[in-house]
């Protein structure tokens, strides 16, 4: 897959040693399997992916799984393996970046709800989950950087609630010393750290 070489590149650039890469897949029930034949049968409900084994500079062993899947509600109705697999992982720390504002939309509700149900921490730019979907009593928010209106392509996804939050003089946004997301310049970028007030234990 085109994403795997990029994962390998950034793993190496962050001081990790790549030990092994192998193809894997999720079956229809969300169970993880090694793949010996990467030929995909028409109509298969399996989700293709890759497993990367890494070793950090301090010797810590790490495993990365990458899966290629359509996470729209329509597709997850017939191929729900990604949801089933993620539910086996326990409480999550989730990162969302440059997500084309898909989880703002009604037809990406399944993955959005899963993230909100299973995450203890969520770090995202404004293209992730819209603020209106967070049950405010359940989450504590820390804002970083500067919130600008989305780029023209996504202008309709502007969130007045974020503008208000970033102009709160009592709870000022913290500095963000790098650029990220669609507004990639350091002076225009934002990140939101959402922390669940009562952490999930399992």
């Amino acid at each position: 897959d085109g994403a795997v070489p990029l994962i390998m590149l950034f793993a190496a650039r962050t001081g990790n040693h790549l030990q092994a890469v192998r193809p894997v897949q999720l079956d229809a029930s969300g169970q993880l399997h090694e793949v010996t034949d990467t030929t995909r049968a028409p109509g298969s409900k399996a989700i293709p992916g890759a497993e990367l084994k890494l070793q950090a500079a301090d010797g810590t062993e790490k495993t990365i799984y990458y899966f290629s899947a359509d996470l729209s509600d329509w597709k997850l109705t017939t191929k729900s393996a990604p949801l089933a697999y993620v539910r086996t992982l326990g409480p999550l720390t989730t990162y969302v970046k440059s997500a084309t504002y898909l989880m703002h939309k009604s037809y990406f509700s399944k993955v959005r709800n899963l993230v909100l149900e299973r995450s203890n921490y969520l770090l995202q730019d404004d293209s992730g989950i819209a603020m209106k979907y967070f049950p405010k009593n359940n989450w504590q928010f820390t804002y970083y950087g500067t919130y600008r209106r989305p780029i023209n392509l996504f202008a309709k996804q502007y969130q007045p609630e974020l503008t208000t939050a970033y102009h709160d003089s009592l709870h000022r946004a913290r500095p963000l010393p790098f650029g990220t997301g669609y507004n990639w310049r350091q002076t225009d970028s934002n990140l939101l750290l959402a922390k669940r007030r009562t952490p999930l234990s399992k």
Side-chain angles (χ1 to χ4, degrees):
D1 190 283
V4 172
L6 291 175
I7 296 172
M8 295 166 62
L9 170 65
F10 283 101
R13 288 185 61 179
T14 51
N16 295 280
H17 174 66
L18 182 65
Q19 296 181 308
V21 181
R22 65 169 183 163
V24 295
Q25 68 179 19
L26 300 176
D27 65 20
S29 65
Q31 297 296 309
L32 181 68
H33 299 278
E34 184 177 4
V35 175
T36 55
D37 181 0
T38 57
T39 303
R40 297 181 64 185
S44 171
K45 292 188 176 182
I47 302 297
E51 178 190 79
L52 296 84
K53 293 286 189 179
L54 310 175
Q55 185 178 58
D58 64 0
T60 302
E61 302 287 340
K62 302 178 181 180
T63 303
I64 296 174
Y65 290 103
Y66 169 79
F67 297 102
S68 178
D70 183 336
L71 299 180
S72 65
D73 287 357
W74 175 79
K75 186 60 72 171
L76 287 175
T77 299
T78 56
K79 285 190 173 184
S80 61
L83 301 182
Y85 175 71
V86 169
R87 288 193 175 99
T88 69
L89 299 179
L92 305 175
T93 296
T94 303
Y95 175 52
V96 182
K97 171 189 172 291
S98 300
T100 62
Y101 299 87
L102 290 177
M103 287 189 287
H104 284 220
K105 303 179 185 299
S106 61
Y107 50 90
F108 275 80
S109 64
K110 292 181 184 292
V111 64
R112 179 179 66 235
N113 291 340
L114 179 65
V115 170
L116 291 174
E117 289 168 7
R118 300 302 302 152
S119 298
N120 277 337
Y121 297 91
L122 171 59
L123 181 65
Q124 63 171 26
D125 63 14
D126 63 296
S127 72
I129 296 176
M131 294 300 293
K132 65 183 180 181
Y133 292 115
F134 284 90
K136 299 302 188 293
N137 291 336
N138 296 347
W139 296 89
Q140 176 182 337
F141 303 109
T142 304
Y143 304 92
Y144 296 86
T146 303
Y147 179 64
R148 309 286 189 195
R149 287 180 176 271
I151 61 174
N152 290 339
L153 180 62
F154 304 116
K156 292 182 179 179
Q157 308 308 325
Y158 169 65
Q159 298 181 72
E161 186 174 350
L162 277 181
T163 294
T164 300
Y166 271 84
H167 286 84
D168 185 344
S169 60
L170 296 179
H171 304 91
R172 295 185 182 276
R174 300 183 183 183
L176 185 65
F178 54 85
T180 185
Y182 296 112
N183 284 317
W184 53 268
R185 293 179 178 83
Q186 180 178 334
T187 54
D188 295 338
S189 295
N190 67 83
L191 282 176
L192 164 70
L193 176 62
K195 177 182 178 182
R196 187 180 294 276
R197 294 184 185 276
T198 303
L200 302 171
S201 58
K202 61 179 181 178

